Amino acid sequence: MAKIIPSSDIGVKINKWYELIRRFDSEQAEQLKQEIRTSLDSMEEDQNLLLYFSLMEFRHEVMLDYLKPLKEGKLRANFSELSKEIDEHQTHVTGMLEYYYHFFRGMYEFGRREYIAAISSYQKAEHKLSFVSDDIERAEFHFKMSEIYYHMKQTHISMHHAKLALDVYIQHELYALRTIQCEFIVAGNYDDMRRHEKALPHLERALARSRDFQNVRFIASSLFNMGNSYYRMGDLNRALDLMKESISLFDQNQSDHLRRSIDPLYTAAQILYKQGKNNEALYYREECMKRAEALQDDIHIQKTIFLEALYLRQDAEHIKRIFHFLESSYAYPDIEELALDTAKYYNEMEDYEKSSMFYGEAEHARIYIQRGDCLYEF
Amino acid sequence: MAKIIPSSDIGVKINKWYELIRRFDSEQAEQLKQEIRTSLDSMEEDQNLLLYFSLMEFRHEVMLDYLKPLKEGKLRANFSELSKEIDEHQTHVTGMLEYYYHFFRGMYEFGRREYIAAISSYQKAEHKLSFVSDDIERAEFHFKMSEIYYHMKQTHISMHHAKLALDVYIQHELYALRTIQCEFIVAGNYDDMRRHEKALPHLERALARSRDFQNVRFIASSLFNMGNSYYRMGDLNRALDLMKESISLFDQNQSDHLRRSIDPLYTAAQILYKQGKNNEALYYREECMKRAEALQDDIHIQKTIFLEALYLRQDAEHIKRIFHFLESSYAYPDIEELALDTAKYYNEMEDYEKSSMFYGEAEHARIYIQRGDCLYEF
């Protein structure tokens, strides 16, 4: 008969496994997971430890869903299975495990874009945060809070949590990716506050760190985000250079390059049309369309058709039909942006009737954006 | 020699005093305060108790600043004096007292409209919230959080705290005013999300409660807030009736009636001009102007001149000068609203060039609103 392994030994290994997950070290994490799974068979009975294992397995899958997404909308991590398992074990989840339970559930709901459900789980976790003594784990919590509030445009609260997370990560070289992600969130919040000049230093730091770690995907994302800030500041030349640079880097990085390159391609085309360089724009518009079709990404397809409808044909009726389509996909932020561009374009052409009409369309989209935020019932 | 009073006796009285403050019972609170102050002379030495007294004195003044405001901008509560006193006592503030210290400071900063400073103090208080065992005091904390986040347009986080506070207050008849204030915040958040139909039931509940307690000021505020929701929903007739009702109630209530009646007067004038009832509008516009002048309220003076410039004279140049003035007072939300009204008005008059221009002005103001939110340095 095999020797019985004390559960505390396995507990230590699960902690180590979690560390690898948080560092996005998927290879070593996978290896350790298999090792732990084998030793579970020889472990002394310990329901809490089995639960800890199940929670971490779930967290492992949340990481994989981030690093190596499956087909659009599909997730490896499955909360209802975890929940069933917990019920079967009839374990009463307390303390640190309760923290993990709510926190991981929040991450899972966030991945499904169920933001209100995610916030509710995160808040339950927050009440148990006192059980967490590890600095990095507390930073992880604040990072996830800053991330979700950024997505929900709750800028101040997102900034608050981003700062708490960043203060910790910056002291730990091993968590470079999270440091970069924090800088992206801080910059994104500044962009939302139209303080692009304050976003840039954060993006430059993110770029430098990404280069230190030779992470091509993050270098490309830093360049794209910087380009976006310059675009919104009106510095079109600088924005265009950065878009081009980020496209060529995304294209070097095989996995996911179609999806990631489409936004810089689109912005490059937008910029060139705004500069009246229609011939140069053609390449980016066509490349954008090709990739959007390969991805069956209807929103980018319609947005690309819009560029032609406005800048080449000034076909207001067609533009209205495109907005109508985007509306049916709830792409209101896209409509707001493009309708404003259209209104300003017609204003410059001194076609004020169309200008006024498209300003009205932008206004209409903005009301839907504000309404869309509301998911409460009380 | 007088009998020495144990400090614990006085501590119990200070708790009672705080209860009266939280219930806005300024008369009884004042009486008890004087009683406590007299007994302090005969009290055994206790630095913590003296500090508790000073903190509560400060909190008392914060209440008075809310109930009976002094002249615009002036506050009774003075944090630097309290802070000096604490330094002189050389007391190390811990536990529950530390909670009060940060929480009251947050309320004070909020009263001065120093929102970032207030949030920072509230957050320090939150870390000590575990020392607070009293339900009502925890509700008080959540109420203040919901209030500040509402002012900063951080809708979701404001809603979260408002719900936590409301759940407690609703069970305590004595805290009727706070219940009503919570309903106002919930409704205000719904209005910001353009869910006016969800705001109304909360305002109707607030109205019913205000009537139960025969509090004229809160009845009038409930009616005004309801009118505002109907106005923004486009139900102008209903909005007008509610504005008129709230004006007559504010006017019954002597203290502060000029300041409080000015917004419903202004909205009534706006509605009547939009309905083309220029004669009827005249009374409200003139009354609004009279009160704005009495208050030396330049922003309302200019906004009232705007009504005439747009609806009676269609004088776009004058309107632009008014917006220029409002800009110098940072009244960007007013500019956004009035510029949109102007753009839509000219669109209906088929003067598209002016319509497009004023849409552009609204857009410009919106950028400043978003930028104004940014008070961070990191």
Side-chain angles (χ1 to χ4, degrees):
Chain A
M1 201 181 110
K3 197 176 149 239
I4 299 285
I5 305 177
S7 66
S8 58
D9 284 12
I10 298 187
V12 170
K13 279 194 183 168
I14 296 180
N15 290 341
K16 177 74 194 158
W17 176 24
Y18 188 27
E19 217 180 296
L20 294 167
I21 292 173
R22 288 188 311 207
R23 272 152 51 188
F24 299 101
D25 190 337
S26 57
E27 252 172 67
Q28 286 203 56
E30 184 59 39
Q31 214 175 318
L32 190 53
K33 173 184 158 183
Q34 295 308 338
E35 193 184 308
I36 296 168
R37 192 202 290 283
T38 312
S39 46
L40 282 181
D41 298 332
S42 330
M43 189 185 76
E44 62 178 335
E45 194 174 315
D46 185 336
Q47 288 301 328
N48 271 331
L49 206 280
L50 288 176
L51 177 59
Y52 190 25
F53 179 82
S54 301
L55 283 166
M56 209 48 73
E57 215 176 2
F58 178 73
R59 174 69 180 82
H60 190 124
E61 279 160 4
V62 170
M63 169 190 70
L64 292 178
D65 282 329
Y66 175 77
L67 282 183
K68 298 166 187 167
L70 301 175
K71 254 199 77 177
E72 191 68 47
K74 296 256 177 195
L75 292 172
R76 288 179 189 82
N78 184 325
F79 196 79
S80 57
E81 262 180 32
L82 174 66
S83 180
K84 218 175 78 192
E85 201 165 329
I86 288 172
D87 286 346
E88 278 169 9
H89 280 144
Q90 297 199 302
T91 323
H92 187 55
V93 190
T94 54
M96 185 81 170
L97 290 183
E98 194 178 352
Y99 167 78
Y100 285 134
Y101 177 83
H102 294 302
F103 185 46
F104 296 169
R105 176 172 197 157
M107 293 175 81
Y108 163 76
E109 298 288 2
F110 180 80
R112 297 169 64 206
R113 298 177 197 195
E114 292 286 347
Y115 296 142
I116 296 289
I119 282 192
S120 152
S121 287
Y122 283 156
Q123 275 166 346
K124 283 178 193 152
E126 192 168 23
H127 291 137
K128 302 292 160 186
L129 195 57
S130 56
F131 290 100
V132 177
S133 54
D134 178 22
D135 265 6
I136 292 290
E137 180 60 16
R138 295 178 75 91
E140 180 83 0
F141 175 80
H142 291 298
F143 170 73
K144 297 305 292 182
M145 294 292 269
S146 72
E147 179 185 52
I148 192 164
Y149 284 119
Y150 168 63
H151 278 268
M152 299 182 79
K153 303 291 172 221
Q154 305 290 291
T155 313
H156 298 292
I157 196 86
S158 171
M159 279 298 225
H160 167 70
H161 287 288
K163 185 161 169 38
L164 290 176
L166 205 49
D167 287 348
V168 176
Y169 285 135
I170 267 177
Q171 297 166 31
H172 296 83
E173 276 298 303
L174 279 170
Y175 296 89
L177 290 194
R178 276 286 193 247
T179 314
I180 296 165
Q181 289 174 310
C182 277
E183 300 281 20
F184 285 168
I185 287 178
V186 171
N189 279 315
Y190 275 134
D191 278 331
D192 284 342
M193 291 187 264
R194 311 239 192 183
R195 295 282 178 171
H196 313 295
E197 75 288 358
K198 286 191 166 194
L200 284 167
H202 290 275
L203 295 173
E204 270 153 17
R205 268 210 294 281
L207 177 62
R209 286 222 140 205
S210 308
R211 283 193 171 134
D212 288 347
F213 288 85
Q214 297 174 314
N215 187 315
V216 178
R217 172 174 148 191
F218 278 86
I219 296 172
S221 289
S222 303
L223 293 168
F224 168 65
N225 289 337
M226 285 172 70
N228 216 13
S229 295
Y230 280 116
Y231 177 62
R232 297 183 65 188
M233 285 166 87
D235 188 342
L236 299 186
N237 288 326
R238 217 150 167 180
L240 183 61
D241 288 345
L242 287 157
M243 291 298 155
K244 287 179 181 173
E245 229 185 308
S246 87
I247 295 161
S248 77
L249 286 172
F250 279 130
D251 282 352
Q252 278 178 31
N253 204 7
Q254 282 309 306
S255 91
D256 238 15
H257 83 110
L258 283 187
R259 192 168 63 83
R260 293 192 176 274
S261 60
I262 204 159
D263 280 320
L265 280 167
Y266 187 78
T267 311
Q270 268 183 313
I271 292 171
L272 288 162
Y273 280 121
K274 285 187 180 181
Q275 293 180 326
K277 297 177 184 160
N278 296 1
N279 288 336
E280 215 185 315
L282 183 65
Y283 164 78
Y284 293 96
R285 199 190 80 213
E286 286 190 340
E287 198 56 38
C288 192
M289 184 57 103
K290 237 187 271 171
R291 297 183 189 200
E293 281 173 349
L295 291 161
Q296 298 179 292
D297 176 344
D298 288 335
I299 289 180
H300 274 101
I301 290 173
Q302 292 297 322
K303 283 172 65 179
T304 309
I305 296 172
F306 160 86
L307 294 176
E308 202 200 321
L310 176 62
Y311 295 105
L312 299 183
R313 294 187 289 104
Q314 291 84 41
D315 183 346
E317 282 310 310
H318 192 179
I319 293 172
K320 276 170 75 177
R321 285 200 303 279
I322 291 169
F323 289 172
H324 195 74
F325 171 86
L326 291 174
E327 207 170 301
S328 69
S329 304
Y330 304 101
Y332 294 108
D334 289 321
I335 300 172
E336 188 194 359
E337 186 202 337
L338 301 182
L340 277 179
D341 277 353
T342 310
K344 286 174 194 161
Y345 182 86
Y346 279 118
N347 183 289
E348 271 177 37
M349 307 265 290
E350 300 183 9
D351 186 340
Y352 300 114
E353 184 170 358
K354 292 207 179 79
S355 171
S356 171
M357 181 186 74
F358 282 107
Y359 268 124
E361 294 261 343
E363 188 55 27
H364 178 77
R366 188 173 301 117
I367 290 173
Y368 275 91
I369 293 169
Q370 291 173 337
R371 288 179 65 88
D373 269 358
C374 176
L375 302 153
Y376 295 94
E377 281 305 333
F378 93 94
Chain B
M1 200 180 109
K3 194 176 153 245
I4 298 285
I5 305 177
S7 64
S8 58
D9 284 13
I10 298 187
V12 169
K13 280 195 181 166
I14 296 180
N15 290 341
K16 177 75 195 156
W17 176 24
Y18 187 27
E19 217 180 297
L20 295 166
I21 292 172
R22 288 188 312 207
R23 272 153 49 189
F24 299 100
D25 190 336
S26 58
E27 252 172 67
Q28 287 203 55
E30 185 58 39
Q31 215 174 318
L32 190 53
K33 173 184 157 183
Q34 297 307 340
E35 193 183 308
I36 296 168
R37 192 202 291 281
T38 313
S39 45
L40 282 183
D41 299 332
S42 330
M43 189 186 75
E44 62 178 334
E45 194 175 315
D46 185 336
Q47 288 301 328
N48 271 330
L49 206 280
L50 288 176
L51 178 59
Y52 190 25
F53 178 81
S54 300
L55 283 166
M56 209 48 72
E57 214 176 5
F58 178 74
R59 175 68 180 83
H60 190 124
E61 280 161 3
V62 171
M63 169 190 69
L64 292 178
D65 281 330
Y66 175 77
L67 282 184
K68 298 164 186 166
L70 301 175
K71 254 198 78 177
E72 190 68 46
K74 296 255 177 193
L75 292 172
R76 290 179 188 82
N78 185 325
F79 195 79
S80 57
E81 262 179 32
L82 174 67
S83 179
K84 218 175 78 191
E85 202 165 329
I86 288 172
D87 286 346
E88 277 168 10
H89 281 144
Q90 297 199 304
T91 322
H92 188 56
V93 190
T94 54
M96 185 82 171
L97 289 182
E98 194 179 352
Y99 167 78
Y100 285 135
Y101 177 82
H102 294 301
F103 185 47
F104 296 169
R105 176 171 197 159
M107 294 176 80
Y108 163 75
E109 298 288 1
F110 180 79
R112 297 168 64 206
R113 299 179 196 192
E114 292 285 347
Y115 295 142
I116 296 289
I119 282 191
S120 154
S121 287
Y122 283 156
Q123 275 166 346
K124 283 177 194 153
E126 191 168 24
H127 290 136
K128 302 292 160 187
L129 195 57
S130 55
F131 289 100
V132 177
S133 54
D134 178 22
D135 265 6
I136 293 289
E137 180 61 15
R138 296 178 75 91
E140 180 84 0
F141 175 79
H142 291 299
F143 170 74
K144 296 305 291 182
M145 294 292 268
S146 74
E147 179 185 54
I148 193 164
Y149 284 119
Y150 168 63
H151 278 268
M152 298 181 80
K153 303 290 171 222
Q154 305 289 291
T155 313
H156 298 293
I157 195 86
S158 171
M159 280 297 226
H160 167 69
H161 287 288
K163 184 161 171 37
L164 291 176
L166 204 49
D167 287 348
V168 176
Y169 285 134
I170 266 177
Q171 297 166 32
H172 295 83
E173 276 299 302
L174 280 169
Y175 295 90
L177 290 194
R178 277 284 193 248
T179 313
I180 296 165
Q181 288 173 309
C182 276
E183 300 280 20
F184 285 169
I185 287 177
V186 171
N189 279 315
Y190 275 134
D191 278 332
D192 284 343
M193 290 188 266
R194 311 240 191 182
R195 296 281 178 172
H196 313 295
E197 75 287 359
K198 287 192 166 194
L200 284 167
H202 290 276
L203 295 173
E204 270 153 18
R205 268 209 296 280
L207 177 62
R209 287 220 139 206
S210 308
R211 284 192 170 135
D212 288 347
F213 288 86
Q214 297 174 314
N215 186 314
V216 178
R217 173 174 148 191
F218 278 86
I219 296 173
S221 290
S222 302
L223 293 167
F224 168 64
N225 289 336
M226 285 171 71
N228 216 12
S229 295
Y230 281 115
Y231 177 61
R232 297 183 65 190
M233 283 167 88
D235 188 342
L236 299 186
N237 288 326
R238 217 149 167 181
L240 183 61
D241 288 344
L242 288 157
M243 291 298 155
K244 287 179 181 174
E245 229 184 309
S246 87
I247 295 162
S248 77
L249 286 172
F250 278 130
D251 282 353
Q252 279 178 31
N253 204 8
Q254 280 311 304
S255 90
D256 237 17
H257 82 110
L258 284 187
R259 192 167 63 83
R260 293 192 177 274
S261 59
I262 203 159
D263 280 320
L265 280 167
Y266 187 78
T267 312
Q270 269 183 313
I271 291 171
L272 289 162
Y273 280 121
K274 285 188 181 179
Q275 293 180 325
K277 298 177 184 161
N278 296 1
N279 289 336
E280 215 185 316
L282 184 63
Y283 164 77
Y284 294 96
R285 198 188 82 214
E286 286 189 340
E287 199 55 39
C288 192
M289 184 57 104
K290 239 187 271 170
R291 298 183 188 200
E293 281 172 348
L295 292 161
Q296 298 179 293
D297 176 343
D298 289 334
I299 289 179
H300 274 101
I301 292 173
Q302 293 298 322
K303 283 172 65 179
T304 309
I305 297 173
F306 159 85
L307 293 176
E308 201 201 321
L310 177 61
Y311 295 105
L312 299 183
R313 294 188 288 104
Q314 292 83 41
D315 182 346
E317 283 309 310
H318 193 179
I319 294 172
K320 275 169 76 177
R321 285 199 303 279
I322 291 169
F323 289 173
H324 195 73
F325 171 85
L326 292 174
E327 206 170 301
S328 69
S329 304
Y330 305 102
Y332 295 108
D334 289 320
I335 300 173
E336 189 194 359
E337 186 202 337
L338 301 182
L340 277 179
D341 277 353
T342 311
K344 286 174 193 161
Y345 182 86
Y346 279 118
N347 183 288
E348 271 178 37
M349 306 265 290
E350 299 183 10
D351 185 342
Y352 300 114
E353 184 170 358
K354 293 208 179 78
S355 171
S356 171
M357 181 186 74
F358 282 107
Y359 268 124
E361 294 260 343
E363 188 57 26
H364 178 77
R366 189 173 302 117
I367 290 173
Y368 275 92
I369 294 169
Q370 291 172 336
R371 289 179 64 87
D373 269 357
C374 176
L375 302 152
Y376 295 94
E377 281 306 334
F378 93 94

